[in-house]
Amino acid sequence: MRGAATAIAIALLPVLSACAGPAHYSAMFNQPDGLGPGDPVIHAGETIGSVTAMTPASGGDSQASITIDPGYSKDIRIDSVMTLTG
């Protein structure tokens, strides 16, 4: 069962490049703890995107697809750290 307070928090690393549109990323979780489509992606207390899909992966893991809003796309890098909180 998915908790209403489930969210992904992102610790941002220094930014080196910018994007004009929304950015699409994915992350693997071995225990997604109810994370699902529509859950917010949060940085510094502000919603910057959302989970768009959850897909089963090999070994019992789950892949979360996320979209970061255009105004924040430049702040996310491929090596950003994602933390599941709920």
Side-chain angles (χ1 to χ4, degrees), residues 12-17 74-77 79-80:
L12 299 178
L13 298 175
V15 178
L16 297 178
S17 64
K74 68 184 184 316
D75 298 329
I76 307 299
R77 295 178 35 161
D79 57 353
S80 293

Side-chain angles (χ1 to χ4, degrees), residues 15-54:
V15 178
L16 297 178
S17 64
C19 297
H24 304 279
Y25 295 93
S26 64
M28 299 296 287
F29 293 96
N30 61 355
Q31 296 179 345
D33 293 333
L35 184 66
D39 285 338
V41 175
I42 299 170
H43 172 63
E46 188 170 348
T47 299
I48 65 168
S50 64
V51 176
T52 56
M54 291 298 294

